[in-house]
Structure formats: C-alpha cells, structure tokens
Amino acid sequence: MNPHELTEITVVGDDDTGLVARVTTLLFERDVNIEDVDQAVRDGIFRMTMRVDTSGMAVSEHRLRRDLSALGDDLDLDVRVRFPEERDTRQLAVLVTKESHCLRKLLDARADLGADIGVVIGNHDDLRPVAERHGIPFHDVGDEKGVHDEDRLLSLLDDYDVDLVVLARFMRILSPKVVFRYEGRIVNVHPSLLPAFPGAKAYRQAKEAGVRVAGVTAHYVTTDLDQGPILTQRAFNVPDDASVEELRERGQPLEADALLEAVRLHLNDDVAIRRGRTELREDGADGENYRLGMPPELDEVTPDDPVDEALAVGESDD
C-alpha cells in the first residue's frame, strides 16, 4: 500500500512491560493491519510509531481514535492518530530564539510550500514582531533565561495540529518527550558540516580548528544531538583572516537556504530514510529539482583522474 494511504499512530509514555502487546492487540481486534512499526526507549521514555492499514477495519475512525485514547488513559500513554485524509493540508510550527534569518526565509517562501505555517514559537519574545507582521500567531514558551516549558510547547503543537516542527535556529535542546512524539517530523539547521563541530558555538569551533572550508547542515532531529539523518548541506570558503563573526555572516544565508530546501524535501515526500541516511525517493521528484550539497558546476572542476586500479574495476575500499 502507498505510504500516503496509511494511518500513523504514535504512542509515547513512561516505559513499562506489556505496552506493545496491549496496543497491537487492540488493533488486531478491530481488523487494523500493521504495515510498519518502530519503537525505542530513551531516558525511560517509550516511543512506538506505527503505520497501519485502516481501510478494512471493523470500526469507524472515530471509534478507533476513542478506543486508543481510552487505552492511553489506562496505561498513562499519549496516543496520537493521524488518518490519511487529515494530512491533506499540513501545518508547520517554526521554533525560534533570537536570530531571524531562517524564519524570514521560510515566511517569504510560505506561498510556495504547499503547507501552512500555523504558528511561531519562541523561547524569547524577540521575534514576535516578525511573525505578527505576517499575520502568524506567536507564543513565547521561555522563562527569563530562555529555558522553554516543554509541556506548554507540546500543548501548542497539539493545539495547532502540527505535522512538521522546524527549528529555525532554536537554541535549545528538545528532550525525548518532544522528539519521540514527532519522530521524523522535526527538521533543524546546524551551522557546520556535520558530523564536524556538533553542539554549541560551531562557527567558533571551525575557526579554532583552522578549517579551509566550513558550512551548514539541515537534518532530522533525533535524541542524539546533531546526529540525525542529513537532508541538505552548503559549504563556503574560510578566508585566512576571517573572524568568527565573518564566518557567521557567510554562513547565515546558507543556513536559511539549506533549511528551506530541507523543509521542501520533507513536505513533498521526496526523501526517505534508509539505515540512517536520507535518499531521494525513486518515485519522487527528479533530483535536479533540489541541491542537497554543492552546486553541480563543482563537478566540472573536480579531478577524476588518477584513481586506484582496484577502484577502477569496482573493488571496495572499505
């Protein structure tokens, strides 16, 4: 069955024995066929994501949602159900701190995204005017130090029925409580060519390491910091005497560009994750519509000779 025709069920809560059995038994009893299931536990939080075929189930959509909700209440689990027809017009939430360049790029392109930017959420109030100038609600979920309230964040994501969470230079780490609920649906941009220089102060790390080429990466968020599957990357030369601020000035336009490209890839369902790596789907858009890395003109100046004879006959160098 086409993945777009499957219902998505996400189960999140404190880890305990028997959770998988209780949920899958409920689905079996209602003639719901499980096509794919993925589960994990991190920091005592259990997450299970299922894609199921509900086309031949013995109950209505309303009844299935109600039964799963009741089971969740009984087991103290958060159970979310998204039927195929509910994903026709997808909603984005953009999370920000104080830097506006990525947010402004997304807002300028929103007419062509094929989805709605339903809300902007910050851990500071600085970018409220930017969002409200575009007629988009803004919510500040941070305290005076910028520490965000995750329960309120989750409540807002639920209220706005968010399909994709976009971290547009949101300078806080999301816990498994958030990441697990939106597995494969959180996109972040990081100011380095990951896996190099993860974590804070990436431009400073690049400067201190003396790199000749620096860059940015847009990737899916996982519970491992800055290690999620990479979507797009951009690179730029580092002048000998460049300061950290000059690196930031060169990198910020590329951050916005890479993040927007990653959002489009996700929204158009043109990317799949296989073994921790993203790939363009064979049935998706032509790869020429995207620039995942460096521009194709680079191939014209990249040497292609000499190569080892072993490689020339197809032997692996692994």
Side-chain angles (χ1 to χ4, degrees):
M1 174 173 281
N2 188 311
H4 306 303
E5 299 173 352
L6 296 175
T7 295
E8 296 176 0
I9 300 174
T10 303
V11 181
V12 179
D14 292 337
D15 187 34
D16 199 357
T17 58
L19 299 181
V20 175
R22 293 286 300 275
V23 176
T24 55
T25 297
L26 184 150
L27 296 176
F28 172 77
E29 291 173 346
R30 288 151 183 79
D31 293 334
V32 175
N33 185 45
I34 299 173
E35 298 281 348
D36 181 65
V37 61
D38 180 57
Q39 62 189 70
V41 176
R42 187 67 179 264
D43 296 338
I45 302 295
F46 167 81
R47 186 267 304 163
M48 178 168 63
T49 302
M50 295 179 288
R51 290 171 176 81
V52 303
D53 178 9
T54 54
S55 60
M57 66 179 175
V59 296
S60 66
E61 292 182 357
H62 174 75
R63 177 62 183 271
L64 179 65
R65 193 190 301 273
R66 190 183 69 182
D67 291 349
L68 284 169
S69 178
L71 179 64
D73 291 342
D74 183 46
L75 300 176
D76 198 21
L77 297 172
D78 178 33
V79 183
R80 308 291 176 92
V81 184
R82 299 169 70 236
F83 293 102
E85 63 273 13
E86 296 174 340
R87 302 196 300 270
D88 289 343
T89 303
R90 284 174 286 187
Q91 297 291 317
L92 275 61
V94 182
L95 274 57
V96 298
T97 296
K98 294 184 177 182
E99 298 178 12
S100 67
H101 55 288
C102 289
L103 173 61
R104 288 187 284 110
K105 183 84 170 186
L106 290 165
L107 293 174
D108 289 344
R110 61 179 177 151
D112 302 321
L113 288 179
D116 294 332
I117 299 178
V119 63
V120 177
I121 303 172
N123 63 318
H124 290 281
D125 206 40
D126 297 55
L127 299 185
R128 180 184 297 275
V130 178
E132 293 183 346
R133 193 158 53 239
H134 287 262
I136 297 175
F138 182 95
H139 296 271
D140 180 4
V141 298
D143 62 16
E144 64 278 1
K145 295 182 179 179
V147 178
H148 63 286
D149 182 336
E150 286 208 333
D151 289 335
R152 188 173 174 216
L153 172 61
L154 282 169
S155 178
L156 287 168
L157 297 179
D158 188 36
D159 289 345
Y160 284 92
D161 195 21
V162 169
D163 296 282
L164 178 65
V165 180
V166 183
L167 307 186
R169 300 300 287 135
F170 182 67
M171 308 302 288
R172 286 287 171 177
I173 297 173
L174 299 176
S175 79
K177 187 165 64 172
V178 176
V179 175
F180 274 177
R181 282 172 171 79
Y182 293 89
E183 186 82 7
R185 294 190 286 135
I186 307 178
V187 174
N188 180 49
V189 65
H190 181 77
S192 80
L193 290 172
L194 292 173
F197 312 131
K201 303 185 184 301
Y203 288 128
R204 182 171 296 280
Q205 291 183 62
K207 168 70 176 176
E208 293 175 350
V211 299
R212 310 304 304 185
V213 176
V216 306
T217 303
H219 63 98
Y220 283 115
V221 172
T222 65
T223 52
D224 296 312
L225 180 63
D226 295 331
Q227 295 182 44
I230 290 171
L231 285 154
T232 59
Q233 292 185 301
R234 301 287 186 269
F236 60 91
N237 288 320
V238 179
D240 290 336
D241 58 350
S243 66
V244 173
E245 183 56 35
E246 287 170 331
L247 293 188
R248 187 176 292 109
E249 290 176 358
R250 287 182 173 230
Q252 284 186 345
L254 298 180
E255 293 172 20
D257 183 67
L259 181 61
L260 176 59
E261 192 84 319
V263 168
R264 283 178 168 150
L265 277 165
H266 179 91
L267 291 175
N268 293 339
D269 296 314
D270 285 330
V271 67
I273 300 174
R274 295 187 178 91
R275 298 179 180 178
R277 178 184 173 90
T278 57
E279 300 176 0
L280 288 176
R281 294 184 187 274
E282 294 181 1
D283 57 348
D286 189 331
E288 295 181 357
N289 292 331
Y290 298 106
R291 181 160 73 85
L292 306 183
M294 296 295 286
E297 293 79 10
L298 183 67
D299 293 336
E300 299 175 5
V301 296
T302 301
D304 58 7
D305 184 72
V307 296
D308 289 339
E309 293 181 2
L311 295 178
V313 296
E315 293 185 10
S316 172
D317 61 347
D318 291 342

